[in-house]
Amino acid sequence: MAMTLRETLQLTVAALMHATGDSQSELADCLGLTQTQVSRRQAGHTAWTLDDCDKLAAHFKLPVLDLLAGPTRACEMLPSERRRAARTARTARQGRAAAAPADAPAVAAQLGRPSFSHDGAGR
């Protein structure tokens, strides 16, 4: 069964948060939301809005269509300076350790959902 755009966006945001090391609180700050509101969107209790999509794309420095194309495409197009590896030096200077990034298919597997690629494979 194909995933809905809503489910695809939830998975994409989860993959991007994992790839960048962003927390729900950090994401909430850039969206002008609370951490609880981000959590509700990620859990599927509340829908992401089109304005949210524009803000998410700007935050992750992606074209909005790459954000909506699914986690594989979004993670492939994520600028290197937004990746967790690039953030490791910053977090190390702040005294926090960061784990190695995982790719979108690994995040999808952890969430029990299929991975998507920009060419439609896996749909």
Side-chain angles (χ1 to χ4, degrees):
M1 183 170 136
M3 290 178 59
T4 64
L5 182 57
R6 180 186 227 176
E7 293 168 325
T8 300
L9 186 57
Q10 288 170 307
L11 185 57
T12 301
V13 172
L16 288 168
M17 287 174 63
H18 187 81
T20 61
D22 287 351
S23 68
Q24 286 184 348
S25 295
E26 290 169 320
L27 203 57
D29 287 344
C30 84
L31 295 171
L33 301 172
T34 66
Q35 181 276 325
T36 301
Q37 289 172 311
V38 171
S39 178
R40 292 187 56 74
R41 282 164 171 76
Q42 280 302 97
H45 300 298
T46 304
W48 290 104
T49 68
L50 293 176
D51 287 339
D52 291 338
C53 291
D54 285 335
K55 291 175 184 177
L56 284 166
H59 173 72
F60 290 115
K61 299 182 180 178
L62 294 169
V64 73
L65 292 178
D66 287 335
L67 176 74
L68 297 175
T72 301
R73 178 66 177 179
C75 286
E76 287 173 350
M77 300 307 295
L78 189 65
S80 59
E81 70 269 8
R82 287 293 290 129
R83 295 183 185 280
R84 187 185 297 218
R87 292 175 51 129
T88 302
R90 288 194 307 257
T91 56
R93 286 193 299 266
Q94 296 169 349
R96 298 183 308 187
D103 59 351
V107 172
Q110 289 172 357
L111 296 175
R113 297 180 179 167
S115 177
F116 290 86
S117 67
H118 62 282
D119 62 3
R123 289 187 195 219

